[in-house]
Amino acid sequence: MADYLVIVESPAKAKTIERYLGKRYKVKASMGHVRDLPKSQMGVDIENDYAPKYITIRGKGEILKELRKEAKKAKRVYLAADPDREGEAIAWHLAQALDMDLDSECRVVFNEITKDAVKESFKKPRKIDYNLVDAQQARRVLDRLVGYNISPLLWKKVKKGLSAGRVQTVAVKMIIDRENEIKNFKPEEYWSIEATFLKDDSEFIGKFYGVKGKKLELKTEDDVKNITSMLKDDKFIVTKVTKRQRRKNPASPFITSTLQQEAARKLNFRARKTMMIAQQLYEGIDLGAKAGGITGLITYMRTDSTRVSPVAEEETRKYIEEKFGSEYVGPKRKEKLQEGAQDAHEAIRPTSILREPEQLKDVLSRDQYRLYKLIYDRFLASQMAPAVMDTMTVHLENNNVEFRATGSKIKFEGFMKVYVEGTDNEKKEEETYLPELNENDEIKAKEITPKQHFTQPPPRYTEATLVGAMEKKGIGRPSTYAPTLDTIQRRGYVALDNRRFVPTELGEIVNEILIEYFPEIVNVDFTAKMERDLDLIEEGKAKWIEIIDNFYKEFEKRLKQAEEEMKTVEIKDEPAGIDCEKCGSPMVYKMGRYGKFIACSNFPECRNAKPILKKIGVKCPVCKEGEIVERKSKKNRTFYGCERYPECEFVSWDKPIPRNCPKCDAYLVEKRTKKKVQVLCSNCDYEEQEQT
């Protein structure tokens, strides 16, 4: 019989830890939280210091019964939930449910599930950290007060089934604000002049810089003509040659947000998928008996710190020296903690640098291997020497008109031998060679080409760029990014179009209401401050009840005002222009959770309903009456056509966008390939630089 009971959240984690601890320990899984606020009511006693009313989660009764049985038989019970606020709260709920001594040293935490880390943690168990528990309770109570007060108001005034959340609402507003920026964007014209220069048998590119040493912007074609008219002939004199060495430092190891962003860029993973696979790698993979059985491959994946343990750092530096040579070992890094970071855990890294991805390829799924390799390569590169680039800048003049050419080549690869950050493929930094040039050399311009450009609107958010923006603004924390993105899509407030967020009509309606009556809920600065307040609770520098009370006093006033003043928003059913094929009544457009659909106006007697063709928000460029809709060909290929077909026969394989060409006023289209999206004119040669 086992002497000790250890409780973790998941069965996978339980298997790994039980193998490390041996026969005297029995490890059971709670399957996450066992208690929570009830779904059927607020569950917060506002009159009694916002006391939460916890109940056993449906379906967890049998699990708790089994855990109580095992706890009675054990000499001692250890609670080993994840090392964060959520894990601390799970441990606290379990301690209460199992009638444990709440002041006992029952809590064990580890940042990585390896034999040494787990055994070491059991040598120094600690008491439950009530600051962490209070921070989690404060977030839960705060979100419940917002959601369970505003949601019924939205049901009453707008539509049943709607809901509002604190962080999610700000994320939706950011997406809507970006969409409005794009709609209101007015392109501005600018020009560049590019010259192809000849030196012996070599060609190189130079770009117009300015006149008489002063930088000059070219805004119109007349500006370009003025410059080209100043050129006497095709001969340029080299007036200055600057040669330098540039050092390029490696990126820091991953934190939660950068992992989600890079996995999206390089692996095309959604945030939720990234965190699910990272959880599997953290909890343990069966490497086979010879390789040590079930083993945790990465450290804890919910972190905002780039800190690395001295032991892991030393092991990695030794590995780099043996594999690549001493010149590839980087200087010891002192990671700068970003503003607002909690620094509760290490960076995300492999638990051992000796477990190379290629060695594990046979025991990992394809996605597990790809994510592990990304984490491994990023961490390995972070401990390597900077890359060294030889750069050369050449100034060329013709009658005081200055062009400049730049070139670079890699002198020493350093970390770039392993990993380069932030590209959509694994290409290394491109080299641009210049021939050997000296001051007073006379160079011939083979060709001088003016180019017209137009400024572009900001791109819509992808999951990766939205996470980056939320982190930068201090909204949410590592554990909340993926659930937030998931929630705003499930609620039907936003949708993904070609992996980029677009707000739905429903999202825009709810956003307008919240801005008018609950401005603090959708205010980015207010939400960021609330996150900092939660951090203060965790650090023991603030009391959670006071933080909640300060918020709720003002919120309650706004709630009463909204209940009195908010008018009912009637989402009228628009005629669809067709009759129901079942009963003959007119069909209408209705608003559903995921946007509009077509339904019979004779509901509920007739329940005929069907989806509508997806409109893309662009008027037909031919008939000017209908809207462009997305259609599918017989081979399931997407194309675009007028909704008035067959009266209007406009079709296009490329997606029209709601902007006209600045040159000829024809409609613009998005030309898509696997690697890029480019905006082109449907009529002339106008094109915008590619979007990745």
Side-chain angles (χ1 to χ4, degrees), residues 540-551:
K541 297 175 182 176
K543 299 294 183 185
W544 78 269
I545 294 172
E546 291 176 10
I547 296 290
I548 298 295
D549 193 50
N550 289 338
F551 163 78

Side-chain angles (χ1 to χ4, degrees), residues 524-573:
V524 170
D525 294 335
F526 177 85
T527 306
K529 180 186 178 299
M530 189 58 71
E531 293 291 356
R532 293 194 294 273
D533 287 343
L534 293 173
D535 292 344
L536 289 175
I537 296 169
E538 178 174 331
E539 294 162 13
K541 297 175 182 176
K543 299 294 183 185
W544 78 269
I545 294 172
E546 291 176 10
I547 296 290
I548 298 295
D549 193 50
N550 289 338
F551 163 78
Y552 192 73
K553 282 176 181 174
E554 186 61 34
F555 176 71
E556 191 177 28
K557 292 176 189 174
R558 293 196 180 278
L559 198 63
K560 287 177 181 175
Q561 182 185 355
E563 285 172 346
E564 292 169 6
E565 298 178 8
M566 189 186 293
K567 295 176 182 176
T568 301
V569 178
E570 187 179 353
I571 304 178
K572 293 181 179 179
D573 295 335

